[in-house]
Structure formats: structure tokens, C-alpha cells
Amino acid sequence: GRRTQLLKGLPATSTVEENSAAGVSVYSFTVAVSPLVSEGVAILPTIVNSNPLTEAFGIESKGDLEFGVITTGNPVLDYETMPKSFDLQIFVEDTTGRTDLNILTIQVTDKNEHPVFRGNMAFQTVTIYVLEGTPPQRIYQVDAADPENVKLKYSLLPATVPFSIRESGAIFSTKKFDYEKDPHWYFLNITVADPDGLNSTKTVNVNIININDESPYFTTKQRIYRIPEEQSPGAIVANITAKDPDDEDSPSKLFYSIQSPDKYFSINPGTGVLQVTRRIDRDALPLRLHPNISLAVRVEDSPSSGRGSEMEITIIIDDVNDNPPECNPSAFRKEANENTTPGTFLVDLRNYCKDIDVDPSNNQFSFTGLSGFGSDNFALESTVSGRLVMTGTIDLENPSNPGVEVYTLTVRVQDIAHPNYSSKYPFYISFDNIIYIYIRIKPVNEFFPVFRDLSYVFSVSEITKVGSSIGRVHATDKDWPPNAITYSIVAGAGTRDYTNIFWISPTKGDVRILARLDYETTQKHIFTVQASDQERSTTASVTVNVLEVNDEEPVCSPNFSSLQIPVNLAVGTNINGFRIECQDRDSDPRSFRYFINEGTVTNNHFIFSPSAGSNTSRLILASRFDYENGLDTNWIYSLRIHITDGNLVSDRDKTTHLIKTGTVTLTIRVIPNPTSATTTTPSFTVVTKKENLYSGSAWYVPFIITLGSLLLLGLLGYLGLLLLAWLRSHCPSRFHFTFCVSSQTMTKLNTVFDGEARDPVTGRIYEFNTRSGARRWKKSNEPLQPIQAMLVMPSANSGQGMDRAEAPSKKEPSEKRKDLTAPTKPAAKPSAGQSETPGQAGLRLQKKKEEPEDGGLSTPA
């Protein structure tokens, strides 16, 4: 179409304030239409382009071809961040096809804006958490800015709160907060304003955080509790309560414990309920002496390492009457003499009975119910005292006495206070303790023992055997029960040689002799015997008449002699003037008779003269010796002479007519006629013979030798097994032992070095084995050694050959050793997949063994 001036008022320039809301009018213009055009505008005025590009403006119709440019609010115009001017191209077309395009320049003008908060405060209400007890410090930094970039001023309301804000916007606390005393929340109105007074306000919440800085305290005021003993386990003693200031009004979660060691009580750690855990016996130690139990109860606000408080409570254990009286012993044995005076005290039962209840009102008891056979002879002074006394007289010898020696009485002891045995004795309503008293009436020794006879006479032969009984004495006692009478000899009964020649049985009164009686020494013995009942005694006289017996044999002197007589001694000669003289204590010498028991003598060469009727007799040669005719052959005569008596001392009656015989022994040597003889001095030889004998005490010697031998054999066998196992593991079964050892030795000593290389570090030449990788330094004057080997094994299947290699003799100098005379080419390396044949695996021998330099073979780098 044709361009025509349709937009009236354009081009033009206009202004608009920043931050204008949507719909604010910026500029107005009209559209001029020809009068000939009746249709009007075909295309309404439109912003077809803008510089810079923006959608912040739009066109609205005001009616009658009048239009206006307005703000759209998207985006909101910002003087500080957006372009300051916009060129809007506005296009219009009428119905005839005429168009027009003009520019409207809009300039954005600056406006003083409110300061704005940045950071978290720009989007939300900030909550600050401050721990109680925190010292005054900076708690938050307010971040705000002014669009005009001017200096801002901060303020804080209400002014009474313990906070302040500085010019930098830093909020500070001005005190140390106590959660338990101060408010828990603070609401701060933070205002930021520019110099023109425009401001913005935000709220900051300050929350005071409670920390565990307070110790819990007990709310239970009671400190002393009393409970009776024997409470059942689980019984509640007290309910301990506490409060934690940190918990404010909410229920406190506290933990209770007993700090002091205690075995009677426990506390619920969560509720503080104090309970009995085991039996409480007030009457047993240590509660018997110390009935007050002190407990240190602790409460904490944490099960471990928390804050806590302690308090001490005292539990007093009260005694109850839960023990019956007990008597120890429960049976008494007492003695009382017969004829004891009435009223005599026997026993005080209270000294043996007790009630272990601690409270005096619970440990009182009484004695009642004295009973038993013969109890009318006894009585209790009172029910409280427990004193038992005699009330009658008991005479054991009295015929009217019932003959009871031991009286059995019973007494009942019981509590005076109302018993309470429900804890220990659940099946008893009351409890009685019965005491048994056994009273033995002790006999009194009132009478003396009396012998049946005042004196006793016994006659006994002097040859009576020692230990024989010669008579008996007897005594009686009128006491009841009869006393045991003991007999003894109190005087006499001894001689010059013996202290006691008589013995009397202590119980039976039998009199026995302890030594042989001798009429010739003492014809009569008189002694005194005593009968005793341990307290009283009486005596009697005993006479023992000794009866004579021929019990003494003649005693001659000398009773042994050796005599020598010549062979030609004359008959009738008193031999060597020998005579014997005899004595007899109980026989007259006139009764002596002399007899020779000739023994080896066959002829009557010897006699004694006189042969009877004298206490002296001589040895006489009765007949001569005749050795020449062979009538006599013995040169030594052993004679035994017997001397007998006839017991003729007196003509009194004898108990028996006995004959006693004395003995004399004589040795008579007959001396032949003297002849010339050579005296030979006897001599002797001492032969010492030594012999080794086994001693039974040395049993350990063969044992140790045998044990050592067995251990040595076991060790040698074990070493042999180890050697055999080593050979099997190192030597194949198809090879001989010698080859195994030699081949291993040769392989170790003869390593072939078939390659050379230079060490990159030192620059030295070293040799190496291409198969084993062994290396050594090469001497500078030594050429590379060729591989030399000898294949000795002819075939893999022969099984008879041995690989052998000749090594140069160690005795030759290394520089003079020669090459092998028959070198062969090296065995070809088997191809992949082929196994090396025994021939190819032959030993490769080094021509000449090189000694390593520098003290050994080193490994080149």
C-alpha cells in the first residue's frame, strides 16, 4: 500500500517512571482516516518492533480512533537494571490499504525505591536459634540493599528486647540467656531505611534453645522411713521423686540409682520407687547392732555422664516378735547328792535360754509346766526366773526309795508377748519350746568297806610258781548302789631283794606271788591289805607261811677245770692235787654223793674220794693207762661229775622229798712219754678274692642302659627314613642312586654360559645362560665360550646308559685346561608341542669353570 500520514502525534518522545504498574498510560495518539473511507482502520496500531526488544509496553484503544501506549508490567521497568530508553515502532493500516509507521521513544525515569532485603530474609521469616548460656555475641547478619545504592540505616524493635543491631546490619545478643528464667521466644522487627525515609521491615524470630545446664533436684522432702523387719521382697518402702529445671513443665525423664552399696533395697531407675529386694532380719548382724540403713540416692538427667543430685535417706528397721525363745542346750543333765537339803538350787534355765528378738518387749519369755516322774521333789521358784530347786530329800539307802537314779523333768518355755511367726513359721500360730532336764541323784559314800575277816593266813610251798594265786581277801560296802571296792597292799609284801613280792588283784582280792619264795631266806611274810571305795578305806593283815622244799642244788668250786697228767702216772695219785668243795643251802654235806659220768671213757681210770658223806672230795687215778696194748686209745678225757644231795637238813615234814644235783666239768689230757721232735713254726697265707656281684639296689643301671639303647636305635631308624624319603623325591625311579647324586653335583658345578650382553649401568660385559638365566661377569681377555656337550646315553629305551660328561681336573690350572676331545653340536631345541628326548636332555658341560670376579657372581642391572 501507499505510505500516508495516518498516525497523528508520532513520531514523539515520552517518559515513564520505573516500577510503574501494568496499565499505566505512557503516551496517547490518534489515527487520521480519510473522510472518503467509511470502513475505518483495517489493522489497528501495533508495536511491531522495539529497540531494545521488550514486552514492557502495549497499545490500547481509547475509542474514536484514539489510542494510548501503556505499560504491561511484564517485565516491570527498573531504572537501575534495565535500559533507560526504548524506541517503539508503531504500525497502522486503513481499509484502503494505506499504511503508516512511526516511532515513539519512551524514556524511563528514575524513582526513589524502598530498600530490599536479600538472602533468606528476602523470601522467608528467619528463625535464629541461640543456646542458653551463650555469652553476648553476633547472632545474625542482615543483608539489605537500596536500588539507588545509597547508605541504609538499620533499626530493631521492640527496644526492650536484649538484642541490638549495628550499622552493618549485624544483630547482637546483649545478655547471657537462661532458659529457665528468660522468655523462650523473641520476635524482632528489623527495619532498613534510605536517607529519604523509605524503609522495609522484616521479622526475625529468635528461639532460645534449652541445654542441660541444670541439675535435677529431689521433690521428696522425707528423709527418714521406718519399716518392720521381714518385709516380703518387692514391698515398696518409698516413692522418690525429683524434678529437672531443664524440663520446665514437661514430665522429666530422670534416672534414679543407689550409690551406696546395699543388699536390702533397690530403686526403679525410671520411677524412683524404692523396694525391698531380700529378707531383712533385724535380729541378725549387722542390723542387730545397726538397725539404721543409710542410702545415697542419686538422680540424673542422663543414664551416663549427666547432671545429677544426691540425697541421703535413712531407713529404720523395726523389730517384730518373729522369733520364739530357744534354749541351748535343750536338754540339761544335772547331779544332786542324795540327802540334799530341800531348797538347794540346781539350775537356772534363763541362763541357757534366749529370744534373739532385739526389742525387749519381744524377747521376754516364761517357764511353766514342770512335770515328770518324781517332779514333786523339785519346783520352779517362779515362771520368770527359771530357777529349779530341790523340794524333797532323796535317800538311796532308804527302803522306801523307788530306786530311780535319774529323774526326767520337762519345762515349757514360751514368749510373753503375742508371737508373730508368720514370716519364719507360717504354719504356727504359737510356738512352745520344751526343755528336758535329767537330774541324776548322786550317791553319797556314807559307809566304810568291811573285810569279812580281820586277818588272813595262807601257807604256800617255796617252789610255788611265780604268778600263782595263794589266797583271796573279800570286803563289802553297805552304800547303795554298791561301791566298787579296790584292793591294794599298803604295807609289807617286800624283802631285801624285792620291793613287792606279793600282788593283789584290785577288783577280786586275789593274792599272787611276784617272785620266787625262799624258805632259806624268809619263812614268814606279813603284809597289810586295804579295801577302798575311793573315798573310804579299811585294812586287814595277811600272813604267808613259806613251806620248805629241797629246791637248792649243791654248788661246787671249781665247777670247771683242765688237767694234764703223764701217761705213766701211778695209780692212787691225787691228780694234780685237784679237789672240789661243795655247799648246799638246804641239805647237810653228809648227804652228798659224787658220781662220774665217764662220757668217752671206757675204762674206770678216775674216781673221787670220798665218794659220799663229805663236802670235800679229791680226784684219784684208779687204774693205769695202756696205750701200747691198745686198751686205751683216747688221750683226752672229758668228765662230767654229778653231786647229789639227800635233803637232810632237818627232820621236819617236807612238802616233797626231792634230790638236787650239782655238776662239775673236767678235761684231762694224757701226756705221752717225751720224744725228740723238731719244732716247726706254723705259718699261714692270706688269699684275698674279689668278685663283682650284682647289687639289688642298683636296678636303675640296666634300666637306663636299655632305655638309652632303644632311644638311639629309634633315632637312627628315623634318620634312615628321612634319607630314604629324600632320595625318592630327588631321584627318578628309573635312574641309579649313584647317577642321581653325580648328575646333580655336575649340574650344579658346570653351568654353560652361551650368551653375552653389556650391562647398561656399569658398561661391563656379562655372560648368561639362555636356558636357566644364570649370569656372571666376563673377563676382558676371555672369548665367548661355545656350547660343548657330550651325549652319552645311546637311546631313550635302553635304560642302561648313563649321561656322563668329562669335566677338567680341578688339579690343573684354569689357564691350562684343554677343550674336550670330542665336542658335539648343541642339541637342537625341541619344537613346540614336542617333548625333549633323553638324548637332547644330555648334560651340557662347560669347557672350563670360571671363578667369579669380585668375590662372587653379581646380577647385572
Side-chain angles (χ1 to χ4, degrees), residues 661-684:
T661 301
T663 304
V664 175
T665 302
L666 297 179
T667 301
I668 301 175
R669 180 184 297 275
V670 179
I671 306 301
N673 292 327
T675 59
S676 60
T678 303
T679 304
T680 303
T681 302
S683 63
F684 63 90

Side-chain angles (χ1 to χ4, degrees), residues 333-405:
R333 299 183 184 276
K334 295 294 179 179
E335 291 184 346
N337 292 332
E338 62 173 326
N339 300 324
T340 299
T341 304
T344 302
F345 166 77
L346 294 178
V347 62
D348 189 350
L349 299 178
R350 181 166 288 278
N351 294 334
Y352 303 95
C353 299
K354 64 179 180 179
D355 189 330
I356 64 174
D357 287 318
V358 177
D359 195 330
S361 63
N362 295 326
N363 59 21
Q364 300 300 317
F365 47 87
S366 62
F367 301 92
T368 58
L370 176 63
S371 62
F373 180 77
S375 59
D376 54 344
N377 294 314
F378 309 92
L380 290 169
E381 286 186 350
S382 67
T383 59
V384 178
S385 68
R387 290 173 56 88
L388 183 66
V389 296
M390 293 281 294
T391 58
T393 301
I394 301 176
D395 185 5
L396 296 179
E397 289 78 26
N398 190 342
S400 61
N401 180 59
V404 177
E405 184 178 355

Side-chain angles (χ1 to χ4, degrees), residues 31-335:
V31 178
V33 181
S34 173
L36 299 177
V37 179
S38 59
E39 299 297 333
V41 180
I43 298 177
L44 295 176
T46 304
I47 299 174
V48 296
N49 195 9
S50 66
N51 184 25
L53 187 63
T54 182
E55 295 181 358
F57 303 98
I59 298 175
E60 68 174 356
S61 176
K62 296 183 178 182
D64 295 336
L65 300 179
E66 185 178 356
F67 297 91
V69 178
I70 62 174
T71 59
T72 63
N74 184 24
V76 176
L77 297 174
D78 186 3
Y79 181 83
E80 289 74 22
T81 61
M82 297 177 65
K84 307 296 188 294
S85 176
F86 296 92
D87 291 332
L88 305 179
Q89 294 182 0
I90 301 175
F91 174 80
V92 66
E93 181 180 357
D94 61 11
T95 56
T96 61
R98 295 184 303 166
T99 63
D100 190 5
L101 179 67
N102 274 303
I103 295 175
L104 173 62
T105 300
I106 300 175
Q107 295 180 349
V108 180
T109 61
D110 189 19
K111 179 183 179 182
N112 188 13
E113 301 176 79
H114 291 274
V116 294
F117 290 94
R118 296 187 298 186
N120 292 335
M121 291 186 66
F123 308 104
Q124 61 185 6
T125 299
V126 174
T127 300
I128 303 171
Y129 297 92
V130 179
L131 295 177
E132 69 167 319
T134 303
Q137 62 181 4
R138 184 172 69 90
I139 62 172
Y140 189 73
Q141 177 65 48
V142 178
D143 187 10
D146 188 81
E148 288 74 35
N149 198 22
V150 296
K151 186 175 182 180
L152 302 176
K153 181 180 180 181
Y154 297 91
S155 61
L156 182 149
L157 291 176
T160 57
V161 296
F163 299 95
S164 64
I165 188 167
R166 299 188 180 179
E167 293 182 357
S168 62
I171 301 177
F172 280 79
S173 60
T174 60
K175 65 172 290 186
K176 181 187 289 187
F177 295 96
D178 187 350
Y179 184 85
E180 289 73 29
K181 298 179 181 179
D182 297 327
H184 301 167
W185 288 89
Y186 293 92
F187 301 96
L188 308 181
N189 294 321
I190 308 299
T191 301
V192 56
D194 62 9
D196 293 335
L198 292 179
N199 60 75
S200 298
T201 301
K202 286 284 188 177
T203 300
V204 174
N205 299 333
V206 180
N207 185 10
I208 306 302
I209 302 301
N210 186 19
I211 63 173
N212 188 15
D213 62 340
E214 298 288 340
S215 298
Y217 60 91
F218 290 96
T219 57
T220 301
K221 303 303 180 183
Q222 185 176 352
R223 295 293 187 270
I224 298 176
Y225 300 88
R226 303 185 72 98
I227 64 171
E229 64 172 325
E230 302 294 351
Q231 290 291 312
S232 301
I236 297 177
V237 179
N239 188 9
I240 308 299
T241 58
K243 180 69 177 176
D244 190 351
D246 291 324
D247 295 334
E248 202 179 14
D249 296 331
S250 61
S252 300
K253 181 61 176 177
L254 302 177
F255 300 90
Y256 299 87
S257 62
I258 297 177
Q259 297 299 303
S260 56
D262 184 76
K263 60 183 179 179
Y264 297 109
F265 303 98
S266 66
I267 192 168
N268 188 305
T271 62
V273 174
L274 188 65
Q275 296 175 304
V276 176
T277 58
R278 59 177 297 176
R279 177 191 174 199
I280 302 176
D281 189 358
R282 172 68 173 82
D283 310 308
L285 293 176
L287 296 179
R288 186 175 186 87
L289 300 178
H290 306 285
N292 298 342
I293 301 176
S294 296
L295 301 180
V297 180
R298 181 175 179 83
V299 60
E300 295 177 319
D301 54 14
S302 176
S304 61
S305 66
R307 293 181 177 270
S309 299
E310 291 187 10
M311 77 168 180
E312 182 174 308
I313 64 173
T314 300
I315 302 174
I316 302 175
I317 308 301
D318 292 331
D319 182 49
V320 298
N321 186 18
D322 60 336
N323 291 285
E326 294 182 359
C327 299
N328 187 19
S330 59
F332 296 87
R333 299 183 184 276
K334 295 294 179 179
E335 291 184 346

Side-chain angles (χ1 to χ4, degrees), residues 495-539:
T495 63
R496 182 183 62 184
D497 298 328
Y498 298 97
T499 303
N500 294 314
I501 197 172
F502 296 99
W503 174 83
I504 188 170
S505 172
T507 57
K508 297 181 179 180
D510 286 342
V511 180
R512 297 178 182 271
I513 58 174
L514 298 178
R516 180 182 176 188
L517 300 177
D518 189 4
Y519 177 84
E520 290 73 25
T521 302
T522 305
Q523 289 80 32
K524 181 181 293 186
H525 297 274
I526 300 175
F527 54 91
T528 303
V529 295
Q530 175 182 278
S532 173
D533 59 6
Q534 310 305 323
E535 294 182 8
R536 301 173 183 270
S537 62
T538 188
T539 59

